């Protein structure tokens, strides 16, 4: 199983798809901008992956990770399970 794409990757993919579709609707398919949009869309699709379900994304809640105190790390290395469980 692949890791799902980030929200930024999905946003980029959807943006490139919308831009390409808008240019097609305006019949601008022979312009260099259209071809550039197609290349960027292909690159975004490769990054996200062909097997992406279209829904699942990595959450980015920007919360700091819990830092394990040194004494817990040391207790775990010593096999002091009681100290680890108390934490």
């Amino acid at each position: 199983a692949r890791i799902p794409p980030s929200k930024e990757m999905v946003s980029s993919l959807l943006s490139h798809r919308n831009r390409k579709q808008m240019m097609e609707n305006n019949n601008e398919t022979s312009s260099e901008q259209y071809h550039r949009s197609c290349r960027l869309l292909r690159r975004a699709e490769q990054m996200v992956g062909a097997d992406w379900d279209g829904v699942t994304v990595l959450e980015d809640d920007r919360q700091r990770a819990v830092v394990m105190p040194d004494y817990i790390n040391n207790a775990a290395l010593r096999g002091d399970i009681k100290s680890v469980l108390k934490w």
Side-chain angles (χ1 to χ4, degrees):
R2 279 181 68 129
I3 297 173
S6 67
K7 288 181 180 180
E8 290 82 11
M9 291 169 71
V10 171
S11 176
S12 177
L13 173 69
L14 296 177
S15 174
H16 291 309
R17 282 183 181 166
N18 288 338
R19 181 165 173 83
K20 180 180 179 259
Q21 186 62 52
M22 188 175 66
M23 294 178 91
E24 288 172 352
N25 292 345
N26 293 334
N27 207 20
E28 299 174 10
T29 56
S30 60
S31 70
E32 181 57 37
Q33 289 179 339
Y34 176 79
H35 294 291
R36 183 175 184 270
S37 292
C38 291
R39 286 191 302 270
L40 291 171
L41 176 60
R42 262 193 310 275
R43 188 176 305 143
E45 287 173 339
Q46 288 173 345
M47 288 178 63
V48 169
D51 59 347
W52 179 53
D53 62 6
V55 177
T56 308
V57 295
L58 289 177
E59 291 297 322
D60 184 14
D61 54 9
R62 302 284 182 191
Q63 293 180 353
R64 290 188 52 196
V66 175
V67 178
M68 182 171 49
D70 290 335
Y71 75 92
I72 297 298
N73 184 45
N74 295 336
L77 293 174
R78 286 191 316 267
D80 183 4
I81 193 69
K82 287 184 181 181
S83 295
V84 174
L85 289 177
K86 282 182 185 178
W87 182 64

